[in-house]
């Protein structure tokens, strides 16, 4: 059977097809980006980034565009396909890494695993291995995480704040000695002038980021972007109102966390609980 030919001639790759439809529908409607922003109530730059493939926006944006263009369900369906395409995770993550290297400040929340910028090689190796990474790829990713740690050291290191759920510190590695090294590294890092570490206790109750790891980056152009992640996927968020919504949830959660001084003491207590190696 001969290969099936594309009927429309448009891309069959979900993200590219989404971008193509956005451009085509706006051209047919005759809207400028600014006009689109005025009508729908989002910053017009969001639509420009969506048409460049730099961000997908959110499902609410796709729904609003469907209504505006009279294409019920089309753009939302394409958005869902693009967002669920596993190849897009790597693209979003590569862009995030570029932005992270440029950031003037970073602030972060961890649900269950330490941020890569604070992981020892032993911790990174065990976490990545449990996640299914192995062989040469495991070695490469461990080395990459070790390289990211350099972002927070040196004279020009940006300010970094991390809030760790207590669960992060209550989930030790199988290797007690590697876990000790990780906690010692964390305690030392908390003494750096550019780093603020806080612990969110179990008793703090529910909050707006209860199941979401997030990293905020303040960029040289004054913008803030966010990268959210769970066990299955990550998403780079650049749309202003969505980032602000996450920031408000982060600020409310930070009010529930222990102070930096109390948090350092908490880490030291965790370190005291690590079993010592038996004497030989």
């Amino acid at each position: 059977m001969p290969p099936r030919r594309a009927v429309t001639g448009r891309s069959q790759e979900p993200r590219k097809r989404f971008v193509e439809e956005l451009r085509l529908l706006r051209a047919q409607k005759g809207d400028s980006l600014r006009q689109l922003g005025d009508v729908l109530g989002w910053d017009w730059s969001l639509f420009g980034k969506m048409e460049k493939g730099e961000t997908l926006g959110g499902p609410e944006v796709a729904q609003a565009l469907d209504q505006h263009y009279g294409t019920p369900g089309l753009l939302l369906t394409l958005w869902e396909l693009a967002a669920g395409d596993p190849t897009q995770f790597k693209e979003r993550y590569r862009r995030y890494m570029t932005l992270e290297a440029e950031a003037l400040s970073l602030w972060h929340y961890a649900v269950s695993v330490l941020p890569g910028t604070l992981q020892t090689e032993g911790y990174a190796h065990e976490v990545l291995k449990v996640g299914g990474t192995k062989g040469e790829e495991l070695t490469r990713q461990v080395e990459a995480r070790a390289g990211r740690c350099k972002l927070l050291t040196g004279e020009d290191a940006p300010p970094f704040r991390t809030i760790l759920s207590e669960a992060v510190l209550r989930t030790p590695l199988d290797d007690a000695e590697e876990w000790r090294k990780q906690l010692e590294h964390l305690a030392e890092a908390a003494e750096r002038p550019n780093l603020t570490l806080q612990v969110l206790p179990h008793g703090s109750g529910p909050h707006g980021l209860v199941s979401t790891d997030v990293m905020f980056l303040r960029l040289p152009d004054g913008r803030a972007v966010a990268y959210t992640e769970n066990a299955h996927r990550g998403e780079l968020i650049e749309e202003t109102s969505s980032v602000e919504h996450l920031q408000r949830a982060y600020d409310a959660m930070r009010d529930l966390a222990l102070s930096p001084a109390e948090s350092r003491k908490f880490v030291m207590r965790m370190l005291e609980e690590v079993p010592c190696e038996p004497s030989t």
Side-chain angles (χ1 to χ4, degrees):
M1 178 182 292
R4 186 176 62 181
R5 298 178 60 185
V7 176
T8 64
R10 298 176 197 160
S11 176
Q12 303 301 297
E13 191 277 308
R15 192 182 187 101
K16 290 181 180 178
R17 180 60 176 271
F18 182 60
V19 167
E20 288 177 359
E21 292 297 335
L22 290 175
R23 292 173 177 169
L24 177 63
L25 289 169
R26 185 168 65 83
Q28 291 175 340
K29 188 82 171 181
D31 291 333
S32 69
L33 291 172
R34 289 186 182 276
Q35 288 172 330
L36 198 57
D38 290 341
V39 170
L40 297 183
W42 276 279
D43 189 307
W44 66 270
S45 63
L46 168 64
F47 301 110
K49 291 172 184 174
M50 290 172 69
E51 290 188 13
K52 291 177 183 176
E54 294 177 0
T55 182
L56 289 175
E60 69 282 0
V61 181
Q63 285 180 311
L65 287 167
D66 267 332
Q67 184 174 0
H68 178 68
Y69 292 133
T71 55
L74 171 63
L75 292 176
L76 181 59
T77 298
L78 291 175
W79 182 91
E80 290 174 340
L81 291 171
D85 183 357
T87 65
Q88 298 310 314
F89 174 80
K90 292 183 178 180
E91 288 187 18
R92 290 192 295 268
Y93 191 67
R94 280 196 293 267
R95 176 163 169 74
Y96 164 76
M97 292 296 289
T98 299
L99 295 175
E100 183 184 74
E102 300 171 354
L104 300 179
S105 65
L106 310 89
W107 55 113
H108 169 266
Y109 170 62
V111 174
S112 58
V113 178
L114 287 167
T117 47
L118 291 178
Q119 293 179 7
T120 61
E121 290 192 19
Y123 185 96
H125 184 276
E126 190 159 329
V127 169
L128 288 166
K129 187 176 180 180
V130 168
T133 309
K134 53 188 176 181
E136 293 183 2
E137 179 64 14
L138 177 60
T139 301
R140 188 188 67 78
Q141 289 199 30
V142 169
E143 291 174 349
R145 291 201 179 183
R148 287 183 66 200
C149 292
K150 297 177 183 177
L151 177 71
L152 303 181
T153 60
E155 294 182 1
D156 297 326
F160 177 66
R161 175 187 296 274
T162 184
I163 301 174
L164 306 177
S165 166
E166 184 175 336
V168 175
L169 301 173
R170 295 286 186 188
T171 309
L173 300 176
D174 290 336
D175 186 325
E177 184 58 29
E178 288 296 342
W179 181 232
R180 175 179 293 279
K181 290 178 182 178
Q182 176 62 76
L183 290 176
E184 289 174 344
H185 175 70
L186 201 58
E188 292 170 3
E191 299 292 337
R192 296 178 198 157
N194 67 308
L195 196 146
T196 302
L197 183 147
Q198 292 181 264
V199 174
L200 184 71
H202 283 322
S204 299
H207 55 83
L209 297 174
V210 70
S211 61
T212 304
D213 278 46
V214 62
M215 178 77 87
F216 297 96
L217 309 176
R218 185 168 65 85
L219 303 176
D221 62 7
R223 292 186 302 126
V225 301
Y227 187 81
T228 61
E229 191 170 16
N230 58 34
H232 305 289
R233 59 175 294 184
E235 178 70 23
L236 179 62
I237 300 172
E238 300 184 72
E239 199 272 311
T240 302
S241 64
S242 297
V243 174
E244 289 179 348
H245 176 77
L246 287 169
Q247 285 179 319
R248 287 193 294 272
Y250 185 88
D251 290 342
M253 179 192 62
R254 185 175 59 186
D255 292 340
L256 303 173
L258 300 178
S259 70
E262 293 171 328
S263 297
R264 285 195 294 273
K265 292 178 182 177
F266 192 100
V267 173
M268 296 308 295
R269 288 198 299 272
M270 293 294 96
L271 188 53
E272 290 172 0
E273 293 178 8
V274 179
C276 296
E277 288 290 316
S279 56
T280 56

